[in-house]
Amino acid sequence: QAEDGIRDSVASRGLGDVYKRQDLMFEKGQKKRAAAESSENAPEDSKNDKARVDLKEIFKAPDGNMTDTGINNPWNFRNWWNAIQAEDVGNYRGRSKLYYQALQYLPGSYKLWYHFLKESRKNAKQYSLDDPRYNIVNELHEKALTFMTKMPVIWHKYTRFLSRQKFITKTRRAFDDSLTALPATQHEKIWKAYVEWCMSINSPSVSKHVLQRYIVYNPDAREEYVSFLIDNEEYDEASLELIKIIDDEEYSSQKGNTKHDIWMNLCNLISKYPSEIISIDCEAVIRHAIKLYTDEVGNLWVSLAEYYIRQGYFEKARNIFEEAIESINTTRDFGVIFNAYSKFEEQIVTNTLANLEKKEAQEEDEEEELEQQIDKLVSITLEKINGSAPKEEEMQDKKTKMIEKDSDFIVYRIDNLLERRPFLLSHVILRQNPNNVYEWMNLAQLCEFDEFLALRTYTEAVLQIDPQNAYGKLNKLWMRFAQFYEERNDLENANQIYFKATAVNFKTIDELSNIWCAWAEMHIRHHNYDSARAILKEATSRRTAPKVSKDDSSRILCPALSYNVWAFYIDIETKFGTFQNVKALYQKMVDMQLATPQTILNYGALLEKAGYYEDSFRMYEKAINNFPWPHVYDIWVMYLSKFTERYGGKKLERVRDMFENVIKACPQEKVKFFYYIYADIEENFGLHNRAIDVYDRALRQVNKEDVMEVLKIAIAKTSKFFGLAKTRKIFEKAFEVLPPGDLLEIGMKYSKMERKIGEIDRARAVYMHLSQFCNPSQPDMEEKFWKIWERFEELHGSEETFKDFLKIKRSVSVKYSAQAVSYTHLR
C-alpha cells in the first residue's frame, strides 16, 4: 500500500511512447525467463515448480523437426483450432496442452490467446485465491500481452482477474501498462474500469493519484474527483477543484450541472467546513456569487453568515445578517435571511441559558467544606492586606448579577430583532420600489412613536417619490403628512405642507383636488371659515399653472378644472356666504362645463327657492342642450314638473313644444313616462281628444312589453271620456300592434264591450278572429276562450251559428294537430 501511494517516476506511464512498447515487453520476457532458469534448481513447492517447468518447456521455440504434435501442418490455424474443439471441454489439461503447442507456432493469434486465457481463468476460479494456479494464469496473461500488446480486451480481462485476487499494486501496474501500450483512442474504456477499481478499494492515496491522472485525460470528470475529495474530507482541495471548474469556460458537466449549481455547491461547502478550507478567500467567493446570482441572494447571505457562525465569530455573523437585510430588495430574500437570523439568536439564547443552568448545578454540587476553607483563607489574606475582608454574601450577589446581566442582554437582543422586523421589511419593500406610496405610509405610521423619526420618514418619502410613477395615491401621503402637524396643533407647518403639495405634478386632477379640499377642511375643523373660503377661491381662480422646469413642457394640473373643488366651494359658500356668491359659482361651473346633472338640479332648486323661476328654466334649457341621453333624463323630468307646477295651463303651447321636443329625442325605453305626463297635462289643462291622441302615439313608440299597459290606460280613458262605443278604435288598433300571445286578453274585453252595447254580430266576429290563436287541445284555452264562446252561442246564437262555432273549433283543432305532426317529422 505504501508503494501504491508513490507516484511512478516513469514519465511515459498513462500516455507514454507506444512505439517502444514491443521492445520493452520483449526485454521483460527475457528477464523473466532468465529468472526462471536461475531458480530451476532452487528448493520450491513441488507443485508450483512443476508448473513453471512445464511452462518453460512448452513455450520454447518450435523445432522444425517436431513430429509429436499430431498436426499435419502446424503453421495452419484451422488445423489447431479443429484439434482444440475436438478435445473434451471438461479436459482442461488436454486442451491447455494443445493451446501451448499451437501458440508455439502461432504466437500472434488473438483468437487462440483469447480462448486459452478465458478457459484458464475459468479453471482457476474453481480454487481458492492462494492456489498456485492463479500465479500460472497471471504469467500466461503476461506472456500473452507480450504479443497482444494492442488488444484492449486482453488488458481489460487481465486487470479484472488481478482485481479479483486483491493485488492492489499489481493491478495498478497492469492498468498503467495498458495505458502505456494502448493508443489514446482506446483509453476511455481502460480509464472507466481503472476509476471503478480504484474507487472500490480502500486506499485513498491510490484513488486520489488515479483520479488526478484521469482528470488530465478527461477534464470533464473533475466533478467526480471533487466528490471523492469531499467523501474523504479533503474539503480544501475540493474547493480549489470547484474553482477550476468555474474558471473553465469550456467545461461540460457529465452530471448535467450548470455553473449556477457548481457555484451553489462551492458556497455550501465553504459554509459547512470553514475551518478546513484555507487556500481561498471564502468571504470573497461568496460575495462574488451574491453579485452573480440575484435569485439566490438570500441563501448566499445565509451561507456567508453560517461560515462565521461555524467558526465561532458570532458578532461577525450578526454584522453579515444586518448587512444582508440592508442590501436585499425582495421580500422572499428577506424572509429567508430573517428566519435564519432569528433562529441563530434563538439558538444563542437556548445555549446560553443551558450553560447557565449547568454552571449553577455545578456550583451547587461543590463540596461545602472546600468552599469554607477557601473563603476563610481568602478572608484572612485580605484582612492582612487591606485590613478588611469582603463578605461572602456580597461576592455571591456580584457574581449572580453579572450572570443575570449577560442573560438579560442576550434575551434583549432577540426581542429587539423581532420588534424591528416590520421596519426592516418595510425598508426592503421600499428599496424594491421607492415609489410605493402605501409602504411609505405604513413605515411612517410605524415611526409615529418618535416624532423626529416620523418627520424624517415623511420628508424622505415626499422627496423620493416620483409623482408620475407613484404606486398608490400620492395625495394621501401629503395629507397624512399635514395631519401629523395638525394633530400636534402646528397649523403653520401644516399649511406649509399643503402649500407645497399644491405645487406637485400629480398624475390625476382628482389627487390635486383632494389636496385643496383637505386643506380647506383643516381650517373648517379649526373654525377658520374665512381661510377655508380663501383657499378654495384661490383653487378655483387658477386657470393655468407654471411649468415644472424650463426644459419640461408638462404643466401642473389646474385645480379650477376639478368638479370636487367647485362642489366643495359651493357647499362652503352656501353655508357661510351669500346667495349672489353661490349663484355666481354655479354659473361659472355651468359656463366651464364642469356641472353634472345633479349640479344642475341643485342650481335649479337654489334659483327656485330664491324666486328666480325664469332663470332656473333658462338654466334647464341650456343644460338640456349640453347633456346627452340618458344623463339629461332627470333634468327633463325636473324641468317639466317645475314648469307645469309653476304655470299649469297658462302656457300650454310652450308645454306642448317641450313635450314634443323631449319625445322626439328620448330613447324608446324612457319615452313611456313622458307620454304619461303629456297625456295627463292634456287631460287636466288641454283637450281630451289630444290626450287620447297622445296615447295613440305612445302605442307606436313605446317598447313592445309596455304596449299592453298603454292600451289598458287608453281604453280606460276613452271609456271615461267618450263612452264604450268610442273605445272600438282603440281595440281595433290593439289587434294591429299586439302580438298573438297578448291578443286574447284584449280580444275578450273587446267582445265583452260589444255584448254590453248589443252588438252581437260584432262580438261573434271578434270570437271568430281570436279562434285562430287558441288551440282547443290546451286545457287553459278551453277554459279561457272556447267555453266562453260556446256559452255566448247558447245565449245569443242560433242553430246555424252554433254549427259554425263547432266547425271553426274542429278546423282549428285539425290545423294545430297538423302543425304538431309536421314539427315532429322535422325533428
Side-chain angles (χ1 to χ4, degrees):
Q1 291 180 352
E3 183 182 0
D4 290 335
I6 302 174
R7 185 183 298 275
D8 200 325
S9 61
V10 180
S12 62
R13 177 159 294 164
L15 294 176
D17 187 359
V18 298
Y19 297 102
K20 298 180 180 180
R21 178 59 182 167
Q22 186 67 33
D23 295 337
L24 293 174
M25 296 302 292
F26 179 73
E27 293 177 0
K28 187 177 181 181
Q30 284 184 335
K31 291 179 180 180
K32 287 186 177 181
R33 286 192 294 272
E37 291 176 358
S38 62
S39 61
E40 184 175 0
N41 298 324
E44 295 181 355
D45 184 78
S46 60
K47 192 173 184 180
N48 191 23
D49 180 66
K50 185 178 182 299
R52 290 184 181 278
V53 172
D54 292 344
L55 186 64
K56 175 184 175 183
E57 292 295 331
I58 291 174
F59 279 99
K60 66 182 180 179
D63 189 358
N65 298 323
M66 287 181 62
T67 58
D68 58 345
T69 61
I71 303 299
N72 295 331
N73 184 7
W75 305 100
N76 189 315
F77 167 78
R78 181 54 58 186
N79 294 336
W80 286 107
W81 186 251
N82 292 336
I84 294 171
Q85 296 300 317
E87 189 69 32
D88 185 15
V89 177
N91 185 11
Y92 171 71
R93 180 175 294 276
R95 292 173 67 88
S96 63
K97 184 177 181 180
L98 289 175
Y99 276 120
Y100 284 141
Q101 294 175 353
L103 289 170
Q104 288 178 359
Y105 291 91
L106 302 172
S109 174
Y110 172 77
K111 189 171 183 179
L112 288 174
W113 279 114
Y114 177 80
H115 288 280
F116 184 25
L117 297 174
K118 180 179 179 182
E119 293 182 17
S120 299
R121 291 191 300 269
K122 183 178 180 181
N123 180 68
K125 289 180 180 178
Q126 301 176 5
Y127 305 97
S128 61
L129 295 177
D130 58 351
D131 193 277
R133 291 178 179 83
Y134 278 92
N135 295 331
I136 296 173
V137 177
N138 292 340
E139 291 180 7
L140 283 176
H141 281 84
E142 292 288 346
K143 184 66 178 181
L145 290 171
T146 305
F147 302 97
M148 301 287 107
T149 307
K150 306 299 181 183
M151 299 302 171
V153 176
I154 302 296
W155 285 108
H156 182 61
K157 299 293 184 181
Y158 182 35
T159 54
R160 287 187 59 184
F161 188 67
L162 289 176
S163 65
R164 184 175 179 272
Q165 301 175 60
K166 310 299 182 182
F167 291 151
I168 296 178
T169 302
K170 188 177 290 186
T171 304
R172 178 179 59 81
R173 289 178 177 176
F175 274 116
D176 293 341
D177 292 340
S178 66
L179 293 172
T180 304
L182 294 173
T185 56
Q186 296 180 348
H187 283 191
E188 181 63 31
K189 295 181 179 179
I190 299 298
W191 272 118
K192 183 178 180 181
Y194 200 178
V195 171
E196 290 179 358
W197 170 77
C198 74
M199 298 299 290
S200 64
I201 63 176
N202 188 18
S203 179
S205 59
V206 174
S207 301
K208 181 178 179 181
H209 171 68
V210 172
L211 288 173
Q212 286 176 344
R213 293 171 55 197
Y214 179 51
I215 61 177
V216 175
Y217 169 76
N218 183 16
D220 291 341
R222 198 177 295 275
E223 285 183 78
E224 190 173 352
Y225 182 43
V226 172
S227 300
F228 168 79
L229 293 174
I230 294 174
D231 294 339
N232 289 275
E233 300 182 357
E234 298 186 23
Y235 305 114
D236 188 52
E237 189 171 352
S239 62
L240 293 174
E241 293 297 328
L242 286 173
I243 291 177
K244 290 180 182 179
I245 294 174
I246 292 171
D247 293 338
D248 188 1
E249 297 295 336
E250 298 180 356
Y251 179 80
S252 177
S253 175
Q254 294 180 346
K255 297 182 179 181
N257 293 331
T258 62
K259 285 294 179 69
H260 172 271
D261 299 330
I262 297 172
W263 265 108
M264 296 302 106
N265 293 337
L266 176 60
C267 294
N268 291 334
L269 187 66
I270 291 173
S271 63
K272 290 181 179 179
Y273 309 102
S275 58
E276 290 84 353
I277 301 175
I278 58 176
S279 299
I280 61 174
D281 188 350
C282 299
E283 182 176 354
V285 170
I286 297 179
R287 287 184 180 276
H288 185 65
I290 291 172
K291 294 178 181 178
L292 287 179
Y293 301 103
T294 56
D295 56 334
E296 295 287 349
V297 169
N299 295 325
L300 291 173
W301 277 112
V302 172
S303 298
L304 182 56
E306 185 182 357
Y307 169 76
Y308 286 106
I309 291 172
R310 289 182 181 273
Q311 296 183 86
Y313 302 143
F314 298 142
E315 288 301 325
K316 182 65 175 178
R318 290 189 181 94
N319 295 337
I320 293 298
F321 279 123
E322 293 292 340
E323 181 184 356
I325 292 175
E326 291 177 1
S327 62
I328 57 177
N329 296 323
T330 63
T331 55
R332 181 176 66 88
D333 293 333
F334 174 81
V336 173
I337 294 172
F338 189 84
N339 290 338
Y341 194 4
S342 59
K343 288 180 180 179
F344 163 69
E345 293 292 353
E346 289 174 1
Q347 191 65 34
I348 292 293
V349 172
T350 303
N351 294 340
T352 303
L353 296 178
N355 292 334
L356 290 176
E357 293 177 357
K358 187 176 180 180
K359 289 180 180 179
E360 291 176 359
Q362 290 177 353
E363 291 176 356
E364 292 177 359
D365 294 338
E366 292 181 354
E367 296 181 1
E368 296 181 358
E369 296 180 359
L370 181 61
E371 289 181 358
Q372 292 176 0
Q373 293 177 1
I374 294 173
D375 293 341
K376 185 176 181 180
L377 180 61
V378 171
S379 62
I380 294 172
T381 304
L382 292 176
E383 284 178 357
K384 294 180 179 180
I385 297 174
N386 300 325
S388 62
K391 295 182 179 180
E392 181 180 356
E393 296 180 356
E394 293 179 356
M395 295 177 64
Q396 187 67 25
D397 292 342
K398 185 177 181 181
K399 186 185 299 183
T400 304
K401 289 180 180 180
M402 292 178 64
I403 294 174
E404 291 178 353
K405 183 178 181 181
D406 292 340
S407 60
D408 292 342
F409 178 73
I410 294 172
V411 174
Y412 166 76
R413 181 178 285 159
I414 188 172
D415 291 340
N416 181 49
L417 176 63
L418 297 177
E419 290 176 359
R420 289 165 53 208
R421 186 183 186 282
F423 298 90
L424 298 175
L425 179 59
S426 182
H427 283 294
V428 170
I429 297 173
L430 291 175
R431 280 196 297 272
Q432 185 178 12
N433 181 14
N435 297 317
N436 192 332
V437 177
Y438 302 114
E439 195 56 41
W440 277 113
M441 295 177 64
N442 180 41
L443 180 59
Q445 186 175 2
L446 293 173
C447 298
E448 285 189 353
F449 66 91
D450 186 346
E451 291 188 7
F452 176 77
L453 185 59
L455 289 175
R456 177 182 173 183
T457 302
Y458 280 120
T459 305
E460 186 179 358
V462 297
L463 290 176
Q464 288 194 13
I465 294 178
D466 181 7
Q468 297 301 317
N469 297 322
Y471 175 70
K473 300 294 185 181
L474 182 58
N475 63 294
K476 292 184 178 180
L477 178 63
W478 282 99
M479 292 162 59
R480 188 68 192 88
F481 193 5
Q483 289 173 6
F484 180 81
Y485 282 111
E486 182 187 355
E487 291 171 358
R488 288 154 180 80
N489 296 322
D490 190 355
L491 296 184
E492 182 178 356
N493 284 325
N495 285 326
Q496 290 293 330
I497 296 301
Y498 276 121
F499 178 76
K500 292 180 180 179
T502 58
V504 176
N505 188 18
F506 293 99
K507 288 193 294 186
T508 62
I509 195 172
D510 289 338
E511 295 183 66
L512 180 60
S513 63
N514 290 336
I515 292 292
W516 285 99
C517 294
W519 193 2
E521 287 175 354
M522 181 189 72
H523 285 279
I524 292 175
R525 286 193 294 270
H526 293 80
H527 308 288
N528 300 327
Y529 304 116
D530 293 336
S531 299
R533 294 170 63 188
I535 290 170
L536 294 175
K537 183 178 180 180
E538 173 65 20
T540 55
S541 62
R542 288 192 179 184
R543 292 293 183 267
T544 59
K547 294 182 179 180
V548 178
S549 63
K550 295 181 179 180
D551 299 331
D552 190 0
S553 60
S554 61
R555 293 178 179 273
I556 298 178
L557 298 173
C558 180
L561 301 178
S562 172
Y563 169 80
N564 294 333
V565 174
W566 281 99
F568 190 38
Y569 191 15
I570 289 174
D571 292 340
I572 297 299
E573 286 294 333
T574 303
K575 180 69 175 177
F576 305 105
T578 62
F579 169 76
Q580 294 299 330
N581 291 339
V582 177
K583 181 182 177 183
L585 291 176
Y586 271 119
Q587 192 60 43
K588 285 182 180 179
M589 286 189 69
V590 174
D591 295 339
M592 296 176 64
Q593 297 183 352
L594 294 176
T596 63
Q598 185 61 46
T599 306
I600 298 298
L601 298 179
N602 294 339
Y603 188 19
L606 178 70
L607 294 174
E608 181 184 359
K609 184 177 180 180
Y612 293 83
Y613 297 104
E614 288 300 326
D615 290 344
S616 66
F617 297 150
R618 283 193 294 271
M619 184 270 300
Y620 284 133
E621 291 176 356
K622 185 177 181 180
I624 287 169
N625 295 327
N626 292 334
F627 288 96
W629 288 92
H631 307 290
V632 76
Y633 175 80
D634 294 329
I635 300 175
W636 268 114
V637 172
M638 184 61 68
Y639 183 23
L640 293 172
S641 61
K642 293 298 181 180
F643 192 88
T644 54
E645 181 183 350
R646 172 67 178 169
Y647 295 107
K650 297 178 180 179
K651 297 184 178 182
L652 188 57
E653 291 300 325
R654 183 177 174 182
V655 174
R656 287 171 177 169
D657 292 339
M658 291 165 57
F659 276 107
E660 293 295 333
N661 291 333
V662 67
I663 289 172
K664 187 184 298 183
C666 183
Q668 188 177 18
E669 61 272 9
K670 299 286 186 179
V671 74
K672 179 182 71 173
F673 177 75
F674 293 105
Y675 271 117
Y676 286 167
I677 299 177
Y678 191 7
D680 189 63
I681 293 295
E682 291 291 350
E683 180 181 347
N684 295 326
F685 304 106
L687 301 175
H688 292 165
N689 288 335
R690 295 184 66 89
I692 300 303
D693 291 340
V694 170
Y695 285 118
D696 184 64
R697 291 171 59 188
L699 290 174
R700 294 191 297 268
Q701 195 170 350
V702 297
N703 288 333
K704 293 182 180 180
E705 57 269 16
D706 297 327
V707 171
M708 178 64 73
E709 180 183 348
V710 175
L711 273 173
K712 291 179 180 179
I713 297 175
I715 292 171
K717 296 293 183 181
T718 304
S719 176
K720 177 181 177 182
F721 298 144
F722 304 106
L724 292 175
K726 295 294 183 180
T727 60
R728 187 176 288 118
K729 291 183 179 180
I730 305 297
F731 282 115
E732 292 175 354
K733 185 68 176 179
F735 279 86
E736 297 177 3
V737 297
L738 286 178
D742 299 332
L743 193 59
L744 179 62
E745 182 181 357
I746 293 297
M748 297 303 290
K749 289 184 178 181
Y750 187 15
S751 63
K752 185 177 180 181
M753 185 270 296
E754 295 290 354
R755 287 170 61 186
K756 284 184 179 180
I757 61 177
E759 295 288 343
I760 302 302
D761 293 337
R762 283 182 174 273
R764 184 179 289 111
V766 172
Y767 285 130
M768 294 174 66
H769 180 74
L770 293 175
S771 63
Q772 58 184 322
F773 308 112
C774 302
N775 186 1
S777 61
Q778 296 180 357
D780 57 337
M781 289 297 175
E782 183 71 21
E783 294 292 335
K784 293 180 181 180
F785 177 74
W786 293 103
K787 286 188 177 181
I788 295 175
W789 189 7
E790 182 179 0
R791 181 63 177 168
F792 170 79
E793 293 295 341
E794 291 176 356
L795 294 176
H796 305 287
S798 60
E799 183 178 354
E800 294 296 330
T801 58
F802 194 80
K803 289 180 180 181
D804 293 338
F805 159 73
L806 294 177
K807 287 180 181 180
I808 292 172
K809 184 177 182 181
R810 190 162 45 252
S811 63
V812 172
S813 178
V814 171
K815 182 185 73 171
Y816 279 102
S817 299
Q819 289 179 355
V821 171
S822 299
Y823 177 70
T824 304
H825 178 68
L826 289 175
R827 291 185 61 187

